[in-house]
Structures are given as structure tokens and as C-alpha cells.
């Protein structure tokens, strides 16, 4: 690190804010390096580097206790037990679970490790819980999925922006700089059951009952058409399927939608007029719209609205999905997904299989087929016919998976659980072997941010003695499993060179991206099909990625939540993130400043609802669903709908929001319904 500091990127969300790290007398300090600055998570991220919670020695469970061992003992033990499980139960006896925070190189090598070194089809990752519904909807509508198919800077010129199920004022505050024009011009529309800090900035806040977003999108589409604002030329020239979509939306006039969602018909019509009257407009969705058993249809309904207004593939306007995890975009492109090969290729496509088998130097027939999705994989662990061994990289499913109590039981039932992590996460506590690995600023690697731009996150500090990189761990295990060492390189740039070749010709083509170009400061959005190609900041300007060049309307209808409230469980529970924490909290709960800002579980409740349950502000409540119960401190929130409670999902133990959540899966994306389940409120001693 030089005195001017070393440039790198934040370890957390998909905005991937630039920062520099500086040595000071007190340790390592963070300085913002880009537009919009940093949020409190970025400012405090250096605390992770010298955290007293840091793991620096492999741990092996002996006599029920996790005991320090050397690396050879740890890796030899893991390799031996993986081989034993494979001999007893076949290749699918072992499974792999990755994460959307892993670099592109790690996601790529992890998928290759599963398919080649283990020969298993049982590989998926926590991004299935985050972005898979919007991803599937985008592929259906446009033929390709890139979260924002335009650069972030396009939002600067937007007169109107509709945010459906996004709360960037807490999840990624620097992003708000891009919405300043829409906010100042009275063009921000926020769809959220809660009056969030983002909703406070909006000209129009629409608060539908949880699980009714799709009906609301149909109502606004209806208002657009009824008001004569359908972009008929665009629909005729650039799309297909409007008639079938309209046949459904025609039956969802705003007054009918008001009865289902609670959103006044006049507000639906106002939203339609704000969007239709804007020079440049965007419709953006995030987890609030997507984490439903009908998540693909719901994201499709918001895409329908954008298509009816003629926004996607138009300079200065569009539809996009706000990706959440740091490498949520790249993590879903390079092969750690159950149904996918690198370059965003399908594992069932014979051409893709041949190409990847050739790059990997293995027979095509040796590549397994598609495996189960994340929740299905996790709940099959240790069951008859299910996997008996699991390797976890960059994920904490004991906290972050839906129906977390059941998932923790399944993890505990394994013959072998191996967790590579930076700290002793809740999942690592259950492990047979824990492998301490390097983290963000301690190693080089690429990530693909929410606008599809590939970033090189530089190494800024040395990792502590005793840890290895994830790539080094995969290399060490692969060699012990009999693989040629050169097939699993441990150097990030070497892995990236192979990823480039593997992605060549695929939808997410990185073949023209090199570390040298990224080090030189080039801004490269995929696809980048050759070293001379400048990248593709805006997709779809000329045509969409379907063979006929047209975008598709989705014929989607409202179905409501999988588990609506009833007499026994009368409230909707919805979950989400708060400013001080990130995902399962494994990192941020260990940053003292963030733990002080938000140290424990709370539940937001309307005061009338709380009083009916006999709960005062600050009391400890039990929130119960059909799957479990969690403890939380009551917060009175008068702006909340009386039929809704909100719980953040960052806390552990008996404070896990995911002890409650409903694992009902979307039929296409297999994403669980994190955003709505039925609960009741009880006093602490209930
Ligand atoms: S907005 Fe996201 S990337 Fe930026 S500092 Fe905050 S957590 Fe880090």
C-alpha cells in the first residue's frame, strides 16, 4: 500500500463503490474513491480486515469440538471423506453451495470443481434467493438478463423513476445520487408496503399489501392504456404478445386493484401519468417485487408496464433490476448455478456442453446435468438419496435460507460439512471442517456490478498468516482428488484467462476483457467479444436478444401470496435489509460501529396492532409463523400498514427472521417467498 492509498472496492453490495485503503497510526482507514461516497457499511469495512473474530487456522471437529489443525491435515481429511462419500453414494453424494459475493473467478472455479473434480450435479448458490426471478423474467422478455441493461449514469437524466420493492436509501445510499433529478423533479414513485426512508423521498408512495404487487402493476398498466398512453408504435414495431397480456390487464381496472392492494385508484392513475408524461423514465424492480412464489410473473408484470410505455431499449429510458449482492450479476453468469455453464450458458444445451467440455479438457459426457435449486438442495441434505457431504463457500445458509430451522437441521444431519469463511459464521459453527480464507481487499479478482460492468477489485493488504484464498483451497482439494494441478489454477488472472475462453460466444461474453484493460481503467460492460471491443453499456438499442429481435409481453395474472393471513396467523410478515447490516450479518455484526448502531432483532409494528397484542414499544415479542418463532424488540411505526409487520433478516440464533419465512418456490426461478408469510404476535413469555 502506498502513502496515497490503494484503490479497491467495497466488500458488500452490487454498487461496488470505489474506495482507497490507507495505513494510519491506528490501522487501516477507508476513504471514498468515487461519486456518491460510501455508506456506513463501506466506511467501516476496514474493521473486517483486523477483526478479532478472524479465523486464521483450519478447524477440524474432534470429539464434538472444533480444534485447530494444520492445512495439510484439514485438506487431506476433506479430500479423503469426499472420496469415501462418492464411493458409497455416487458423485451426487457430494454437493457444493456458493455465494453471490464470490468473485467471477471463484464462481467459475467452484462450478468447474463441482462438475469436474467431484462430478456432481448438486451445485447451487445463495443468489437463487436474491435475483433469480428478475433474471428469469428478463430472459423471457428480452432474451438475455443483465440487471441494468444500461449504465447507472442514464438514471441521472430520468424525469420519472418507479422503484418497485427497493429501498436504496438503506441498502445502497450512494445510489440515490443517480435519482436526484427524479426526486427533485417530483418524479420518484416508490412501491413498498412500508414507508421506508426511500419512500419518504418519493413524490408518490404506493403501499400495496404484501404479495399484491403484481395486481398493482396490472392496475397501472390498465390506467396507461385507458388513458391513451400506450406507445402503440413501439409495441407494434419492437414487441410481441401485447394482446394476450392486455386481455388479463383489461380486467384489472384501478378500482378493482384498489380492493386487492389497498392502493387508491387515483394514485395508480397518477403513477401512470407521471411515467407516461416523463421525457425519460425507468421502471426498476428489486427483491420486494421478486421474492415471491410468483416472483417471475411479478417481475414480468413490471416489465409489461415498461414495454407498454416504450421504455426498454430506448436511449435514456428502460427497465432494470437492482442487483443486491456484491457480485450478484457475475455470480449468476459463470457456472455456480445448478442449471448453468459459464458465459450464462444452459447446462442442457448440447452446443454449450461441447464448448465448455473442450475448454475444460474433459469428455462432454462426463459433465453432469442440471441439479436441484438452492432450497431443494439444502433440504435434501442428509436425507435418503440426498447428498451426504457439502462444501460451502461465501454463504451462511443457516441464517439466510428460508425456513432456516429446517435448513439448520439438514446441515447438522450431513456426514461431512465443510465451510470456507473469514469468520466462524452460524453455518461454520455446524461444520466438521472450517477453512479460513482471505477476504475482499486481501486478494485480487473481478466482480460484475449491477450495471453489468466488470471491475477489478485490487489487492490492497496482505492476508493474515495462516489463511489461504478460496482459489487456493479449490486447487488444493482438486489435486488431492486426482486432478492435474494446471486444471485448477490458484492465481486469479490465470482463472480469468480460462473464464474468458469459456464465456466466448455465450450471452455474457467476457472474452475481450483482460486484467490489463481493467488496470488501465477501461469501463467495460458485457458483452465484450474481442480485445478491441469497447464493451456494451446499453443493450437492446437496435433489437432485443430473441431471434426475431422483439421483446415479449408476459401474459401474467395476480394470484396472491402462497400463505395469506387467516384467523390463526392474522398478520403479513415481510423481511428486508437495514442500513447498518448486510445479508446474514456474518460480517457486519462483527463490525463494532455497526453492531452498536443495530445490535439486535426488532419487529416494526403499527401501534394499534401492537397494543391489541398487549405489546408496548420496546417490549420483547415473539413472532410466530407455521414454521417457527423468533424473538424481537417491538418498534412502534405509525406509518406502517396495521396488517403488516417488518423484520430485518440480519440476526442469528433465535432472532432469525428466516425461522418464519415461507419456502414456497416460484415454479420457474425456484426463488422462495421471503417477502410474505402469515404470522401472529405474542408476548415474550408466550
Ligand atoms: S452502497 Fe454498497 S458498495 Fe457502496 S459503500 Fe455501501 S455497501 Fe458498500
Amino acid at each position: 500500500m502506498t502513502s496515497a492509498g490503494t484503490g479497491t472496492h467495497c466488500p458488500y453490495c452490487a454498487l461496488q463503490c470505489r474506495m482507497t485503503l490507507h495505513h494510519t497510526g491506528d490501522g487501516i482507514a477507508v476513504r471514498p474513491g468515487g461519486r456518491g461516497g460510501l455508506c456506513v457499511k463501506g466506511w467501516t469495512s476496514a474493521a473486517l480486515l483486523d477483526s478479532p473474530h478472524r479465523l486464521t487456522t483450519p478447524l477440524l471437529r474432534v470429539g464434538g469440538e472444533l480444534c485447530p489443525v494444520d492445512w495439510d491435515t484439514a485438506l487431506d481429511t476433506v479430500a479423503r471423506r469426499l472420496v469415501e462419500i462418492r464411493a458409497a453414494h455416487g458423485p451426487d453424494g457430494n454437493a457444493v453451495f456458493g455465494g453471490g459475493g464470490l468473485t467471477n473467478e471463484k464462481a467459475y472455479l467452484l462450478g468447474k470443481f463441482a462438475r469436474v473434480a467431484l462430478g456432481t450435479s448438486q451445485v447451487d448458490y445463495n443468489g437463487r434467493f436474491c435475483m433469480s426471478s428478475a433474471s428469469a423474467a428478463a430472459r423471457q422478455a428480452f432474451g438475455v438478463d443483465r440487471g441494468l441493461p444500461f449504465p447507472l449514469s442514464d438514471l441521472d437524466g430520468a424525469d420519472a423513476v418507479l422503484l418497485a420493492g427497493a429501498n436504496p436509501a438503506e441498502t445502497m445510499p450512494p445510489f440515490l445520487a443517480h435519482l436526484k433529478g427524479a426526486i427533485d423533479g417530483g418524479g420518484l414513485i416508490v412501491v413498498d408496503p412500508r414507508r421506508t426512508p426511500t419512500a419518504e423521498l418519493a413524490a408518490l408512495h404506493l403501499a400495496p399489501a404484501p404479495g399484491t404487487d403484481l395486481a398493482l402493476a396490472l392496475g397501472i398498466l390498465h390506467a396507461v392504456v385507458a388513458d391513451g398512453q400506450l406507445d402503440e408504435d413501439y409495441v407494434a414495431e419492437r414487441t410481441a404478445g401485447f394482446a394476450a397480456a392486455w386481455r388479463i390487464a383489461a380486467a384489472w381496472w384501478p378500482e378493482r386493484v384498489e380492493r386487492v392492494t389497498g392502493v387508491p385508484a387515483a394514485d395508480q392513475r397518477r403513477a401512470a401519468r407521471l411515467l407516461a408524461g416523463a421525457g425519460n423514465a425507468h421502471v426498476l424492480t428489486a427483491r420486494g417485487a421478486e421474492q415471491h412464489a410468483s416472483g417471475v410473473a411479478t417481475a414480468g408484470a413490471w416489465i409489461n408496464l415498461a414495454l407498454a410505455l416504450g421504455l426498454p431499449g430506448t436511449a435514456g429510458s428502460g427497465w432494470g433490476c437492482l442487483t443486491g449482492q456484491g457480485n450478484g450479476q457475475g455470480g449468476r453468469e459463470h457456472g455456480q448455478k445448478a442449471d448453468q455453464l459459464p458465459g450464462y450458458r444452459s447446462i442442457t444445451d448440447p452446443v454449450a456442453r461441447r464448448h465448455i467440455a473442450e475448454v475444460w479438457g474433459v469428455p462432454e459426457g462426463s459433465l453432469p446435468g442440471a441439479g436441484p435449486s438452492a432450497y431443494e438442495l439444502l433440504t435434501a441434505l442428509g436425507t435418503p438419496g440426498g447428498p451426504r457431504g457439502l462444501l460451502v463457500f461465501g454463504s451462511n445458509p443457516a441464517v439466510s435460507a428460508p425456513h432456516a430451522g429446517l435448513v439448520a437441521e439438514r446441515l447438522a444431519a450431513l456426514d461431512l460439512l465443510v465451510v470456507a469463511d473469514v469468520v466462524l459464521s452460524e453455518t461454520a459453527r455446524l461444520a466438521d471442517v472450517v477453512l479460513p480464507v482471505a477476504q475482499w481487499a486481501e486478494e485480487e479478482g473481478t466482480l460484475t456490478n449491477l450495471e453489468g460492468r466488470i471491475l477489478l477489485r485490487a489487492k490492497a493488504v496482505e492476508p493474515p498468516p495462516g489463511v489461504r484464498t478460496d482459489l487456493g483451497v479449490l486447487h488444493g482439494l482438486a489435486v488431492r482428488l486426482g486432478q492435474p494441478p494446471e486444471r485448477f489454477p490458484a492465481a486469479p488472472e490465470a482463472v480469468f484467462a480460462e473464464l474468458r475462453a469459456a464465456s466466448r460466444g455465450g450471452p455474457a461474453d467476457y472474452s475481450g476483457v483482460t486484467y490489463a484493460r481493467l488496470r488501465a481503467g477501461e469501463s467495460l460492460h458485457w458483452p465484450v467479444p474481442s480485445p478491441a471491443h469497447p464493451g456494451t453499456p446499453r443493450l437492446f438499442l437496435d433489437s432485443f436478444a430473441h431471434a426475431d429481435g422483439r421483446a415479449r409481453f408476459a401474459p401474467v395474472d395476480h394470484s396472491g401470496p402462497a400463505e395469506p393471513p387467516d384467523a390463526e396467523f392474522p398478520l403479513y410478515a415481510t423481511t428486508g435489509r437495514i442500513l447498518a447490516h448486510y445479508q446474514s450479518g456474518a460480517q457486519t455484526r462483527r463490525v463494532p460501529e455497526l453492531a452498536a448502531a443495530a445490535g439486535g432483532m426488532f419487529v416494526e409494528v403499527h401501534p394499534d396492532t401492537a397494543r391489541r397484542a398487549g405489546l408496548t414499544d420496546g417490549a420483547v415479542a415473539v413472532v410466530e409463523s407455521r414454521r417457527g418463532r423468533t424473538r424481537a424488540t417491538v418498534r412502534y411505526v405509525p406509518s406502517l400498514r396495521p396488517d403488516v409487520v417488518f423484520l430485518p433478516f440480519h440476526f442469528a440464533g433465535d432472532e432469525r427472521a428466516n425461522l418464519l419465512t415461507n419456502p414456497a418456490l416460484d415454479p420457474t426461478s425456484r426463488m422462495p417467498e421471503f417477502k410474505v408469510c402469515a404470522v401472529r404476535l405474542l408476548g415474550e413469555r408466550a
Side-chain angles (χ1 to χ4, degrees):
M1 198 184 294
T2 67
S3 58
T6 303
T8 186
H9 293 266
C10 176
Y12 302 118
C13 84
L15 201 55
Q16 280 299 294
C17 297
R18 271 193 291 141
M19 57 171 60
T20 53
L21 297 186
H22 301 254
H23 277 304
T24 69
D26 295 331
I28 297 169
V30 167
R31 301 276 179 271
R35 178 185 167 190
L38 302 168
C39 77
V40 64
K41 296 182 285 289
W43 272 111
T44 56
S45 55
L48 295 169
L49 296 166
D50 55 5
S51 167
H53 301 282
R54 191 69 191 275
L55 294 171
T56 54
T57 312
L59 303 172
L60 178 66
R61 194 168 294 279
V62 181
E65 298 292 322
L66 283 170
C67 304
V69 291
D70 61 63
W71 272 99
D72 279 339
T73 302
L75 294 180
D76 288 348
T77 303
V78 173
R80 176 176 52 76
R81 294 180 68 178
L82 289 170
V83 169
E84 288 169 359
I85 289 170
R86 184 165 58 190
H89 303 281
D92 281 353
N94 289 311
V96 173
F97 200 79
L102 298 175
T103 62
N104 290 321
E105 292 80 357
K106 294 178 186 182
Y108 171 83
L109 207 68
L110 192 61
K112 180 180 177 184
F113 179 86
R115 273 85 179 221
V116 175
L118 296 176
T120 183
S121 67
Q122 309 287 300
V123 51
D124 211 48
Y125 79 126
N126 65 18
R128 179 77 66 177
F129 299 155
C130 295
M131 275 82 58
S132 55
S133 285
S135 154
R139 276 180 281 132
Q140 288 175 359
F142 309 124
V144 75
D145 154 47
R146 199 182 83 191
L148 296 184
F150 49 81
L152 263 176
S153 53
D154 276 11
L155 293 170
D156 299 356
D159 307 297
V161 176
L162 183 146
L163 287 177
N167 181 17
E170 290 198 86
T171 58
M172 51 174 71
F175 172 84
L176 293 179
H178 296 285
L179 300 183
K180 190 169 182 325
I183 294 169
D184 292 349
L188 181 65
I189 305 160
V190 171
V191 177
D192 200 308
R194 303 164 61 217
R195 190 154 183 88
T196 61
T198 308
E200 290 285 348
L201 299 170
L204 183 58
H205 172 210
L206 311 177
T212 65
D213 319 40
L214 200 162
L216 179 60
L218 290 169
I220 300 174
L221 173 61
H222 186 107
V224 165
V225 176
D227 205 25
Q229 300 287 357
L230 178 70
D231 189 335
E232 293 183 11
D233 291 345
Y234 174 96
V235 169
E237 289 162 20
R238 301 207 57 188
T239 73
F242 173 73
W246 173 245
R247 266 196 294 281
I248 298 167
W252 285 98
W253 56 95
E255 284 73 15
R256 181 184 175 205
V257 169
E258 178 176 342
R259 288 197 290 278
V260 171
T261 64
V263 176
D267 285 352
Q268 297 170 52
R269 293 193 171 95
R270 192 172 155 216
R273 280 196 302 276
L274 275 173
L275 289 167
N280 289 315
H282 288 84
V283 174
L284 303 177
T285 65
R287 305 305 83 70
E290 298 151 10
Q291 287 179 325
H292 295 281
S294 57
V296 177
T298 304
W302 290 113
I303 293 173
N304 284 352
L305 174 64
L307 290 171
L309 293 162
L311 307 180
T314 307
S317 293
W319 171 87
C321 149
L322 294 178
T323 300
Q325 294 195 73
N327 196 30
Q329 182 68 49
R332 67 184 189 250
E333 297 167 358
H334 296 299
Q336 61 176 329
K337 249 178 118 177
D339 50 0
Q340 191 197 72
L341 291 172
Y344 225 142
R345 291 178 158 99
S346 166
I347 201 164
T348 56
D349 173 2
V351 177
R353 291 174 65 85
R354 270 198 298 283
H355 172 74
I356 296 299
E358 197 177 309
V359 173
W360 288 352
V362 299
E364 181 201 328
S366 70
L367 295 180
S373 72
Y375 181 74
E376 294 160 297
L377 170 62
L378 291 170
T379 49
L381 298 173
T383 62
R388 312 296 311 182
L390 177 72
L391 306 182
V392 178
F393 286 78
S395 191
N396 188 14
V399 175
S400 62
H403 199 178
L406 174 64
V407 168
E409 277 175 29
R410 300 314 332 146
L411 290 166
L414 285 162
D415 296 339
L416 173 66
L417 174 60
V418 182
V419 176
D421 211 327
V422 173
V423 293
L424 199 63
S425 70
E426 289 69 24
T427 306
R429 285 181 197 282
L430 300 171
D432 300 292
V433 185
V434 180
L435 303 172
V437 288
Q439 57 174 325
W440 59 294
E442 297 166 353
E443 53 183 344
E444 200 171 37
T446 62
L447 298 98
T448 305
N449 78 352
L450 75 173
E451 56 182 347
R453 185 160 56 91
I454 299 127
L455 312 166
L456 182 59
R457 192 155 74 188
K459 176 175 174 173
V461 296
E462 286 300 323
V467 311
R468 293 192 182 180
T469 64
D470 290 298
L471 296 178
V473 169
L474 291 171
H475 173 87
L477 286 175
V479 169
R480 285 170 172 81
L481 292 169
Q483 292 292 315
E486 65 279 6
R487 187 175 278 167
F488 287 89
E493 193 164 355
V495 178
F496 192 76
E498 194 183 301
L499 181 158
R500 291 174 57 205
S503 75
R504 179 172 294 123
D509 189 334
Y510 284 39
S511 59
V513 183
T514 63
Y515 271 35
R517 292 184 75 179
L518 296 173
R519 285 191 188 111
E522 285 197 67
S523 176
L524 297 171
H525 299 71
W526 67 256
V528 192
S530 74
H533 193 282
T536 315
R538 292 176 187 82
L539 297 171
F540 316 137
L541 286 182
D542 299 322
S543 70
F544 295 97
H546 289 301
D548 61 4
R550 289 171 178 266
R552 303 283 190 272
F553 279 89
V556 291
D557 204 350
H558 169 71
S559 56
E563 186 185 61
D566 56 17
E568 213 183 341
F569 295 93
L571 299 169
Y572 293 103
T574 190
T575 64
R577 285 168 55 189
I578 58 174
L579 177 63
H581 288 295
Y582 178 71
Q583 304 303 67
S584 79
Q587 295 152 295
T588 51
R589 281 186 274 116
R590 291 171 170 87
V591 173
E593 201 173 327
L594 300 179
M601 182 63 159
F602 62 86
V603 55
E604 292 184 356
V605 193
H606 189 281
D608 293 346
T609 308
R611 284 188 205 106
R612 271 198 297 277
L615 292 162
T616 54
D617 195 24
V620 175
V622 170
V623 188
E624 187 173 52
S625 78
R626 289 185 173 83
R627 290 155 295 281
R629 41 171 53 192
T630 189
R631 267 181 352 100
T633 301
V634 172
R635 280 192 190 172
Y636 279 13
V637 177
S639 63
L640 197 60
R641 292 174 55 111
D643 56 355
V644 173
V645 299
F646 167 79
L647 303 112
F649 54 63
H650 310 292
F651 300 102
D654 62 1
E655 297 187 335
R656 280 174 288 175
N658 280 318
L659 293 169
L660 309 176
T661 47
N662 185 1
L665 301 180
D666 181 279
T668 301
S669 68
R670 317 305 286 164
M671 178 187 246
E673 186 150 273
F674 285 102
K675 279 293 181 272
V676 52
C677 69
V679 299
R680 60 188 169 204
L681 273 178
L682 307 165
E684 187 180 20
R685 277 190 281 277

